């Protein structure tokens, strides 16, 4: 039922709001002047100005570049403009008082109107830019609908005023955007799958550059740890431990310059060269000299490759329980010996150059003897160059020395375990690969190692190694 | 699990009155009841809530599996009844929540004593082969579901993202006016559960006093559909309000409240 009074009210309202004062009383003067000059006399501009003055509120409403309609609160159309009637292909008589706004919509538009448009309009008093489709005799017209409520003096809603904009182009554009978004989503899923595949391939390759298991060394406890800084990059750190003959084992640990596949290729070359060299002549200096020659010859010219490394040989003496160590270093941080009493020694090898950088290189050898409760620690500089504390300063050799000494007497596994915890504690401050290799002589007999929690007798050994990767 | 927080439960009205649990439908939240609450609060204890994922509920508690079917929404209702230790509840379910109410009322150990089905529709989709007219073709429903994908007509549902933009303090004030906010993923799941479910077979299981409230003209719940609901629920009452549209609690709150009061009077006399 249409209330005539309300419809009349709506007409007045539409006229008043469609033609705001400034548009008729104050045309933009500067623009007018410009046009006058351009027209060379101004008669055309005058005609336009006259047309503007004569443009009635009614005409602005009827021929607006958008659809207007006013409905009662039950949706019954009370007033509609010519633009909308033209879109619909209906006459005013067919629409006013006979149809409701949802009658003009497609099925999904009706669902949208009842579940979303009307509740929000009633609760908020306005809705903006809602997408729906008008149902036409021969198809549909996508529109963007905005609406406000006209209320009585006491706040009762009287009318819905609805404006509809032709949204064909915009909807097509949005459909295009949606297609683009879907394509991008699919591409991202593919890229993530590719990355996962790459990472698992890299992880396999990385493991191939490290020993699967450390061998059993009679009378010793050995442990290792490898931290990979990035899932997407092969690290350049390496280590190994293997038997040379009936009484001796060789070990090495080092750091190839750079990262990625090129560094991994060098790492592989270094590892197998040192293994082969050790079988040929296991003197530490000789092994590093062989490695130097191989690297220098293989990587000459524009792509020099080099590494730092410690190579050593150990000989356990089952009769005394002592282990004799002899090692050489090329440009690598010195190995630490953590004595049972907490003293920490650095096995310095003065003059040892980076391996592979010069055609001939001299390496010097250092030696020591490990006794019960002593542990030898080899590490790469990822540990000492981690950024720590509020000032992001380097962790440093002194801190490492103190850390190790405080834990004495400490077995190889316990030392690697506590260093692993330390590394985890660095968080983002640890941005480089880090390798640890510890070789220790367990304390024998119960009660002899004050405070030692890990004990192993001479007949057993313990080995542990782990590879760790952080995302 | 804090059900009160999860479902943004609000209790109002007369503390010692009979309990009305008001369940909103698809597309909005408990603000749907804003105009009805003042007309009922003198007599009833009113319990309002938002389904998990809708309105002011805890979005984090939502998951696609549970809320992919109406059973998940019925579980919300049951858990609210338990948490608040409500008994002899009259559940007023709007639109799809009428069918959620049917599920909750026929479940084991239900605390629901009476049911008001406000403009119910147990199957929105036409079934021409059965001569059933639910109101919408498969195309209509597909279009609506598609339009939820990236419809700029649902801007309020994206609005909470901009909360707390310090550069635009006016947004905060604006957002306080936002009703029926929800997340697009939640809306899609709710829409699918609402418009693709056929709950007609559940109606016959209702044995508690039931009232079906419809309006004279409702595109979403055609008259034939409410008649079917009335026929399927034994002993149910059917009231046609002097109103039109699918939201009588907004368009005719007084008439809706009157129907609820009359029904409560009948139920209480039993």
């Amino acid at each position: 039922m249409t209330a005539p009074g309300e419809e009349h009210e709506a007409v007045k309202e539409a006229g008043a709001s469609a033609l705001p004062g400034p548009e008729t009383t104050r045309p933009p003067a500067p623009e007018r002047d410009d046009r006058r000059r351009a027209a060379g006399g101004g008669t055309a501009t005058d005609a336009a100005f006259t047309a503007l003055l004569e443009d009635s509120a009614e005409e602005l409403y009827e021929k607006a570049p958008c659809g207007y309609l006013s409905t009662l609160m039950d949706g019954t159309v009370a007033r509609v403009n010519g633009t909308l009637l033209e879109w619909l292909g209906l006459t005013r008589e067919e629409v006013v008082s006979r149809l409701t706004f949802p009658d003009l919509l497609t099925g999904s538009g009706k669902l949208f109107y009842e579940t979303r448009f009307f509740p929000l309009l009633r609760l908020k008093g306005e809705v903006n830019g809602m997408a729906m489709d008008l149902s036409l005799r021969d198809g549909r017209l996508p529109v963007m609908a905005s609406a406000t409520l006209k209320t009585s003096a006491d706040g009762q809603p009287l009318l819905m005023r609805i404006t509809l904009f032709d949204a064909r182009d915009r909807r097509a554009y949005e459909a295009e955007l949606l297609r683009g978004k879907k394509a991008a989503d699919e591409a991202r899923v593919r890229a993530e799958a590719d990355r996962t595949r790459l990472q698992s391939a890299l992880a396999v390759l990385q493991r191939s550059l490290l020993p699967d298991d450390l061998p059993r060394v009679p009378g010793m406890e050995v442990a290792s740890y490898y931290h990979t800084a990035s899932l997407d990059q092969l690290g350049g750190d390496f280590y190994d431990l293997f038997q040379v003959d009936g009484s001796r084992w060789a070990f090495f640990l080092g750091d190839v310059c750079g990262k990625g596949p090129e560094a991994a290729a060098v790492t592989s070359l270094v590892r197998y060269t040192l293994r082969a060299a050790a079988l040929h002549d296991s003197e530490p200096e000789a092994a590093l000299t062989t490695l130097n020659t191989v690297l220098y010859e293989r990587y000459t010219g524009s792509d020099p490759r080099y590494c730092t490394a410690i190579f050593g040989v150990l000989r356990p003496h089952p009769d005394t329980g002592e282990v004799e160590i002899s090692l050489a270093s090329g440009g690598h941080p010195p190995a630490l010996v953590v004595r049972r009493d907490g003293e920490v020694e650095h096995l310095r090898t003065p003059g040892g150059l980076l391996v592979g950088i010069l055609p001939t290189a001299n390496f010097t050898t250092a030696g020591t003897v490990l006794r019960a409760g002593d542990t030898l620690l080899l590490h790469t500089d990822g540990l000492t160059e981690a950024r720590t504390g509020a000032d992001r300063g380097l962790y440093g050799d002194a801190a490492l020395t103190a850390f190790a000494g405080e834990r004495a007497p400490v077995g190889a596994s316990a030392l690697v375990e506590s260093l692993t915890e330390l590394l985890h504690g660095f968080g983002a401050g640890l941005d480089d690969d880090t390798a640890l290799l510890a070789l220790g002589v367990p304390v024998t007999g119960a009660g002899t190692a004050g405070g030692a929690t890990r004990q192993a007798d001479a007949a057993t050994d313990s080995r542990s190694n782990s590879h760790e990767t952080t995302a | 699990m804090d059900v009160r927080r999860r479902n943004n439960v609000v209790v109002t009205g007369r503390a010692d009155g009979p309990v009305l649990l008001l369940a909103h439908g698809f597309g909005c939240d408990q603000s749907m009841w804003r105009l009805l609450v003042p007309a009922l609060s003198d007599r009833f204890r009113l319990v309002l809530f938002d389904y998990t994922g809708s309105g002011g509920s805890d979005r984090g508690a939502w998951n696609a599996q549970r809320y992919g079917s109406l059973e998940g929404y019925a579980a919300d209702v049951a858990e609210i009844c338990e948490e608040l230790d409500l008994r002899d509840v009259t559940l007023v379910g709007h639109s799809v929540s009428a069918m959620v109410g049917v599920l909750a009322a026929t479940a084991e150990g239900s605390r629901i004593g009476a049911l008001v089905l406000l403009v119910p529709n147990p199957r929105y989709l036409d079934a021409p082969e059965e001569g059933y007219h639910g109101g919408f073709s498969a195309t209509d429903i597909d279009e609506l579901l598609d339009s939820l994908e990236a419809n700029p007509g649902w801007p309020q549902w994206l609005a909470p993202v901009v909360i707390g933009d310090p550069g635009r303090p006016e947004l905060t004030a604006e957002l306080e006016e936002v009703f029926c906010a929800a997340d697009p993923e939640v809306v899609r799941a709710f829409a699918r559960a609402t418009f693709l479910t056929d709950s007609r077979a559940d109606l016959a299981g209702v044995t508690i006093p039931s009232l079906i409230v419809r309006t004279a003209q409702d595109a979403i719940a055609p008259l034939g559909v409410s008649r079917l609901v009335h026929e399927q629920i034994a002993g149910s009452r059917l009231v046609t309000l002097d109103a039109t549209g699918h939201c009588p609690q907004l368009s005719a709150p007084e008439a809706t409240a009157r129907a609820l009061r009359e029904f409560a009077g009948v139920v209480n006399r039993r």
Side-chain angles (χ1 to χ4, degrees):
Chain A
M1 281 264 286
T2 304
E6 285 178 347
E7 194 179 345
H8 179 62
E9 182 70 9
V11 174
K12 280 201 315 208
E13 268 298 318
S17 60
L19 192 60
E23 215 173 318
T24 51
T25 55
R26 278 191 288 118
E31 192 180 67
R32 190 181 154 211
D33 285 344
D34 290 346
R35 289 204 187 148
R36 189 186 294 274
R37 273 197 299 279
T43 48
T45 311
D46 286 343
F49 186 52
T50 308
L52 185 59
L53 285 178
E54 288 173 357
D55 206 3
S56 70
E58 189 62 25
E59 186 154 337
L60 272 179
Y61 178 80
E62 282 299 328
K63 298 192 172 169
C66 60
Y68 280 125
L69 71 162
S70 303
T71 75
L72 306 185
M73 288 311 292
D74 67 2
T76 305
V77 178
R79 187 166 157 80
V80 55
N81 78 342
T83 308
L84 180 53
L85 289 172
E86 200 174 306
W87 289 350
L88 293 168
L90 297 172
T91 65
R92 200 172 301 275
E93 292 69 33
E94 287 170 306
V95 176
V96 172
S97 300
R98 292 179 189 277
L99 296 179
T100 64
F101 175 51
D103 289 336
L104 307 178
L105 303 171
T106 59
S108 72
K110 288 182 176 67
L111 281 171
F112 184 83
Y113 173 88
E114 295 286 356
T115 56
R116 190 76 185 151
F117 186 98
F118 177 77
L120 276 180
L121 178 58
R122 182 66 187 84
L123 290 167
K124 279 181 69 180
E126 63 173 10
V127 295
N128 283 309
M130 292 203 168
M132 38 182 63
D133 287 5
L134 290 177
S135 175
L136 307 181
R137 211 161 271 156
D138 52 350
R140 60 176 57 213
L141 178 69
V143 293
M144 299 288 288
S146 295
T148 53
L149 282 187
K150 177 182 168 58
T151 50
S152 63
D154 63 349
Q156 288 307 304
L158 300 174
L159 292 174
M160 295 188 263
R161 293 180 181 133
I162 304 168
T163 310
L164 305 173
F165 282 91
D166 180 341
R168 277 174 297 189
D169 290 351
R170 177 166 172 173
R171 204 69 65 79
Y173 175 61
E174 283 163 359
E176 202 54 50
L177 284 182
L178 192 57
R179 267 193 293 279
K181 180 178 174 292
K182 276 186 178 151
D185 287 346
E186 284 163 15
R188 195 179 61 239
V189 169
R190 272 198 307 277
E192 276 165 9
D194 288 348
R195 182 164 182 246
T196 306
R197 267 201 302 280
L198 175 65
Q199 285 175 346
S200 69
L202 290 178
V204 169
L205 190 51
Q206 184 84 67
R207 277 197 298 277
S208 78
L209 298 174
L210 299 168
D212 286 335
D213 278 309
L214 295 177
R216 173 184 180 275
V217 181
M220 291 197 82
E221 186 190 12
V222 298
S224 65
Y225 176 74
Y226 193 93
H227 166 83
T228 308
S230 163
L231 286 171
D232 300 318
Q233 282 276 24
L234 286 165
D237 291 3
F238 59 89
Y239 66 85
D240 207 349
L241 171 65
F242 54 97
Q243 189 160 12
V244 179
D245 55 31
S247 59
R248 296 182 305 159
W249 278 257
F251 59 89
F252 59 79
L253 177 143
D255 184 357
V256 166
C257 72
K259 283 176 180 292
E262 297 84 359
V266 179
T267 305
S268 182
L269 178 65
V270 167
R271 185 169 181 222
Y272 291 104
T273 300
L274 284 176
R275 272 198 166 235
L279 296 177
H280 178 64
D281 180 348
S282 60
E283 281 311 305
E285 285 177 52
L288 287 184
T289 302
T290 302
L291 177 61
N292 186 73
T293 306
V294 168
L295 278 184
Y296 185 78
E297 286 179 359
R298 170 64 183 77
Y299 294 100
T300 46
S302 62
D303 186 27
R305 292 278 166 180
Y306 51 89
C307 70
T308 68
I310 289 179
F311 181 95
V313 174
L314 63 87
R315 182 195 294 271
H317 293 283
D319 47 339
T320 61
E322 295 177 350
V323 177
E324 199 182 317
I325 302 275
S326 166
L327 60 77
S329 167
H332 198 81
L336 305 185
V337 182
V338 187
R339 297 296 179 191
R340 181 179 188 167
D341 62 2
E343 191 191 337
V344 179
E345 297 166 17
H346 292 76
L347 294 184
R348 300 195 186 278
T349 50
L353 287 172
L354 291 173
V355 187
I357 204 162
L358 291 173
T360 54
N362 290 318
F363 302 102
T364 52
T365 304
T368 191
V369 173
L370 301 181
R371 299 185 178 82
D374 295 348
T375 296
L376 177 73
L377 172 69
L378 285 72
H379 66 91
T380 55
D381 59 10
L383 169 57
T384 47
E385 294 186 358
R387 301 273 166 185
T388 63
D391 59 352
R392 315 305 290 155
L394 297 183
Y395 180 63
D397 291 319
L400 175 60
T401 302
F403 183 91
E406 282 162 15
R407 274 150 189 80
V410 61
S413 298
L415 181 57
V416 166
E417 220 166 83
S418 55
L419 286 170
T420 304
E421 270 175 44
L422 176 72
L423 287 169
H424 285 172
F426 290 157
L430 178 63
D431 57 2
D432 198 2
D433 301 316
T434 304
L436 304 174
L437 177 63
L439 312 162
V441 180
V443 176
T444 53
T448 55
T453 53
R454 279 168 178 270
Q455 295 177 7
D457 61 49
T460 61
D461 64 271
S462 101
R463 300 157 290 163
S464 69
N465 65 337
S466 56
H467 303 163
E468 167 99 1
T469 299
T470 55
Chain B
M1 178 176 57
D2 182 351
V3 173
R4 285 173 192 262
R5 205 184 130 259
R6 184 190 70 184
N7 291 107
N8 189 24
V9 175
V10 172
V11 181
T12 182
R14 186 169 149 179
D16 61 349
V19 176
L20 286 191
L21 178 60
L22 303 175
H24 70 85
F26 165 78
C28 203
D29 58 25
Q30 61 181 278
S31 19
M32 280 300 280
W33 305 109
R34 258 185 7 144
L35 306 183
L36 189 65
V37 165
L40 295 172
S41 52
D42 64 316
R43 174 162 167 199
F44 298 99
R45 184 178 177 208
L46 301 170
V47 181
L48 296 88
F49 69 97
D50 298 330
Y51 284 116
T52 306
S54 298
S57 69
D58 176 7
R59 169 67 175 83
W62 187 88
N63 74 73
Q65 219 235 319
R66 171 164 161 142
Y67 298 101
S69 76
L70 296 186
E71 278 78 7
Y73 302 83
D76 274 12
V77 168
E79 285 159 13
I80 290 165
C81 290
E82 274 192 29
E83 175 71 21
L84 275 67
D85 196 21
L86 305 176
R87 288 167 201 282
D88 291 327
V89 176
T90 296
L91 184 130
V92 182
H94 177 225
S95 198
V96 67
S97 273
M99 298 316 300
V100 172
V102 166
L103 290 177
T106 53
E108 189 75 18
S110 165
R111 291 161 177 254
I112 297 168
L115 200 53
V116 176
L117 301 95
L118 189 56
V119 292
N121 188 337
R123 176 182 163 126
Y124 295 90
L125 202 54
D126 295 337
E129 69 284 1
E130 302 170 31
Y132 175 80
H133 179 66
F136 297 92
S137 68
T139 315
D140 293 333
I141 303 289
D142 286 347
E143 263 182 38
L144 182 81
L145 295 175
D146 281 350
S147 74
L148 300 177
E149 194 63 37
N151 192 335
W154 307 82
Q156 285 80 4
W157 283 347
L158 302 173
V161 176
V162 298
I163 283 178
D165 182 346
R168 300 183 61 193
E170 75 276 12
L171 280 178
T172 313
E174 193 179 309
L175 284 165
E176 280 165 7
E177 297 292 311
V178 168
F179 297 98
C180 312
D183 172 286
E185 191 188 359
V186 171
V187 170
R188 278 196 293 277
F190 201 176
R192 297 188 70 83
T194 298
F195 296 114
L196 299 178
T197 302
D198 182 353
S199 306
R200 289 177 294 172
D202 299 324
L203 295 168
V206 178
T207 53
I208 54 175
S210 301
L211 169 71
I212 294 127
V213 179
R214 65 181 183 184
T215 68
Q217 199 184 359
D218 182 348
I220 299 207
L223 293 179
V225 168
S226 41
R227 193 161 51 243
L228 175 125
V229 174
H230 176 45
E231 286 161 7
Q232 290 292 310
I233 301 180
S236 63
R237 294 161 173 270
L238 174 65
V239 169
T240 306
L241 299 179
D242 181 18
T244 61
H246 194 61
C247 306
Q249 72 270 55
L250 288 178
S251 63
E254 288 299 337
T256 308
R258 212 156 38 238
L260 292 178
R261 285 168 179 276
E262 281 167 18
F263 177 63
V266 173
V267 170
N268 287 347
R269 270 199 300 278
R270 278 156 45 96

